[in-house]
Amino acid sequence: MSSALRIGVVVLLGLLVIGISTGGAQSPAKVEGPKVVAHATATAIIKPDLARLTFAITSSVEGEDKSAHAANELQSKTIQEALQTQAKVKVEVETTPAAASTLVAARANPGTAPTIVAKKAQTVFRVTVREGDYDKLKEAVGRLSDAILSHGGTTIISEDSSRSYRFPKRLGGGEEEPDAVQGPAIEWLASDTSTARRDAIRRAVKDAKADAEAAAGTDKLKISEISVWGGDYTPNQAGPYSYYTGESRAPAATGMVQFKVFVNITCTY
């Protein structure tokens, strides 16, 4: 082999070795810069445009030959007519099938059939009012609550519940104060919360970003990730409307529908 040929082969082999070494080497791992994570919440407050009243009608009859269901159906029909008349706005009324129970006397002798003293039947009502004007909605709910109480509607309480609203006897003796009659449970709702939710998200992101910038100082931040959750509100439920005290227990935040959104942002710099 000539000297020139040998030199060419050596140079070629050297280039191949250099190429293989360069191609097989792994690129250095990318080093991430520092990061900051910030968290913020925002509350959305909306005027309700919908209210839901839930209550029960309970009928009681004495004697085995009388029907508690028939008495309950008659009472339920009467109150439905009253609701439509008193509301002065369109209402939606839903009812569940009546539940029944009996009151029996203690058995005189073991093995004998119990004597039925009274029978009860109950129907649960859910009344929905839709009204875009908040003041009219409140007025309608007040009229409905009064009509419900006037026709024997009460909050749904199990029969073994204690009489928690009983007042003590007057000082100096005398009879006990009458029990407070608890009326319908009231829920204040909003039919559309999407706009308020997005506004709350924008506010929360803005606050979280400001906190991240404060933590990073003069360094310029780049948002790499944003997490959002929440926004499913819980209906603002009022306390039972009490006929005895003559007032409705006001729900929190003056009857407004409220919910929170939560935001996490991750920034690098």
Side-chain angles (χ1 to χ4, degrees):
M1 182 181 294
S2 66
S3 176
L5 183 58
R6 285 199 298 269
I7 293 172
V9 171
V10 170
V11 172
L12 179 60
L13 290 174
L15 291 173
L16 290 173
V17 170
I18 293 172
I20 293 171
S21 300
T22 304
Q26 295 182 352
S27 59
K30 185 179 179 181
V31 179
E32 291 187 0
K35 67 180 181 179
V36 59
V37 179
H39 167 75
T41 64
T43 301
I45 301 176
I46 314 169
K47 280 188 176 182
D49 58 3
L50 187 154
R52 183 176 295 131
L53 297 86
T54 306
F55 64 96
I57 290 292
T58 305
S59 304
S60 178
V61 296
E62 297 182 358
E64 295 187 22
D65 58 336
K66 294 183 179 180
S67 172
H69 282 286
N72 192 249
E73 286 178 3
L74 180 60
Q75 190 177 1
S76 297
K77 182 179 179 181
T78 301
I79 197 170
Q80 288 194 55
E81 294 173 351
L83 292 175
Q84 297 291 347
T85 302
Q86 294 296 324
K88 297 183 180 180
V89 294
K90 185 178 180 180
V91 297
E92 302 167 15
V93 181
E94 300 175 69
T95 62
T96 61
S101 62
T102 58
L103 179 64
V104 298
R107 299 181 184 184
N109 298 308
T112 59
T115 302
I116 297 177
V117 178
K119 293 181 285 187
K120 290 184 179 181
Q122 184 183 80
T123 298
V124 175
F125 281 72
R126 186 170 68 174
V127 180
T128 302
V129 187
R130 303 178 189 276
E131 173 55 59
D133 188 308
Y134 180 51
D135 292 330
K136 290 182 180 179
L137 179 65
K138 290 191 297 182
E139 291 175 2
V141 169
R143 289 192 297 268
L144 287 169
S145 298
D146 287 336
I148 290 166
L149 289 163
S150 298
H151 289 79
T154 62
T155 191
I156 304 171
I157 301 178
S158 60
E159 293 191 9
D160 59 353
S161 298
S162 60
R163 299 170 73 184
S164 58
Y165 281 80
R166 180 184 292 278
F167 289 85
K169 292 182 178 181
R170 296 187 181 92
L171 295 176
E175 297 182 355
E176 289 184 339
E177 293 285 352
D179 288 337
V181 178
Q182 299 179 63
I186 304 171
E187 297 172 285
W188 302 95
L189 308 165
S191 58
D192 183 11
T193 61
S194 58
T195 300
R197 181 176 185 272
R198 291 177 186 127
D199 288 343
I201 291 172
R202 292 186 188 98
R203 287 187 281 112
V205 170
K206 183 178 179 180
D207 289 344
K209 185 179 178 182
D211 288 343
E213 289 172 345
T218 58
D219 293 319
K220 187 176 181 180
L221 293 179
K222 180 181 179 181
I223 297 177
S224 60
E225 183 179 347
I226 299 177
S227 299
V228 179
W229 69 97
D232 296 327
Y233 72 95
T234 301
N236 192 351
Q237 183 169 333
Y241 191 97
S242 174
Y243 183 80
Y244 182 80
T245 60
E247 63 183 6
S248 175
R249 296 182 181 183
T254 63
M256 298 294 103
V257 173
Q258 298 184 74
F259 59 87
K260 286 186 177 182
V261 295
F262 305 87
V263 167
N264 270 353
I265 67 170
T266 302
C267 302
T268 57
Y269 62 97

